[in-house]
Amino acid sequence: MSGMLLPNDHYGFDFSYAYTDVYTATNICFDNGAQNATTKPSAYPGTATLTSGGAPNVCSGVFTRGSTTQLADWFGRDFMDAPTQYGSAALSVSPVKSIHSNIGYRISSVNGTRFFNDARDVNGSLVSSYQTPFVNFAWTARPGLIWKAEYNFYGYGEGGPSGPENCSLSTATTSAVVPCTSLPQQTGLTISPAGETAPRNFHANNVTLGVHYQF
């Protein structure tokens, strides 16, 4: 959706909005990397899923290498959803014929989610915003000579806690499945939105000066 309002030669306003959504899903059996806390005190929890009846949802018949009894994988509905919104608005001002200027704002924001088969994983760029406000100015000093100036701000940031809802320290039909937030070990829901890396928040200020000479 877009529109433009031009009441006269001196002022104008334009805007636009767009929405897209990408969704994909499939059933998987996955190794969640859980470590048994009874044999490894510093065990890492793994993502766990539950059946509709509340039992551990372990893939049947998938055993660890060399075993016919130790189950290896959990069953999950692997999915990714990336609803994205884009918007922009700009005001143009030309008080006299020799001066043209614009001030505006653009933003692209995605607020998605996905299945986490790693208990310490986070959404990352799947929940992020990229915004670029701007100002530009042009002065026609005389025919064929135009001075120009422009300022752009570029800002990117990721935010919001994310991670799996349920975790377990083992893989078996008798495994204890608990909320990930109840465990002493770090999970995606109990660490920063950037996960186990430094925050991915960046910005830049750009100023451009130029001249257009025509002969």
Side-chain angles (χ1 to χ4, degrees):
M1 178 181 67
S2 62
M4 182 178 293
L5 301 174
L6 297 171
N8 53 52
D9 293 338
H10 301 295
Y11 304 96
F13 178 75
D14 68 83
F15 63 91
S16 65
Y17 172 81
Y19 175 85
T20 62
D21 191 3
V22 176
Y23 178 83
T24 181
T26 186
N27 295 329
I28 62 169
C29 284
F30 66 96
D31 183 351
N32 69 355
Q35 296 178 350
N36 196 317
T38 59
T39 58
K40 298 180 179 180
S42 60
Y44 289 117
T47 300
T49 57
L50 296 171
T51 65
S52 57
N57 199 7
V58 180
C59 287
S60 60
V62 182
F63 302 104
T64 57
R65 181 176 297 179
S67 173
T68 58
T69 57
Q70 179 61 50
L71 295 170
D73 288 1
W74 291 76
F75 175 84
R77 180 66 171 172
D78 191 8
F79 73 94
M80 185 194 73
D81 187 21
T84 305
Q85 300 185 78
Y86 170 83
S88 69
L91 175 67
S92 60
V93 180
S94 180
V96 294
K97 187 176 181 179
S98 60
I99 294 178
H100 298 274
S101 61
N102 295 276
I103 181 170
Y105 178 80
R106 296 180 292 255
I107 183 170
S108 178
S109 178
V110 56
N111 186 23
T113 187
R114 60 187 178 87
F115 179 75
F116 299 95
N117 58 358
D118 183 339
R120 289 163 298 283
D121 203 357
V122 294
N123 273 321
S125 61
L126 198 56
V127 177
S128 62
S129 294
Y130 180 60
Q131 51 186 330
T132 56
F134 63 92
V135 177
N136 56 54
F137 176 86
W139 172 46
T140 304
R142 60 178 175 80
L145 179 61
I146 304 174
W147 294 94
K148 297 181 178 181
E150 183 170 0
Y151 166 77
N152 290 275
F153 174 85
Y154 301 96
Y156 173 81
E158 300 175 358
S162 55
E165 179 183 359
N166 296 312
C167 288
S168 177
L169 288 166
S170 62
T171 300
T173 54
T174 56
S175 291
V177 178
V178 298
C180 295
T181 53
S182 67
L183 296 171
Q185 299 91 341
Q186 286 189 336
T187 66
L189 286 169
T190 57
I191 55 181
S192 80
E196 295 183 311
T197 68
R200 291 175 291 274
N201 297 299
F202 312 102
H203 70 271
N205 293 277
N206 287 2
V207 176
T208 304
L209 302 176
V211 60
H212 174 88
Y213 178 66
Q214 183 177 339
F215 58 93

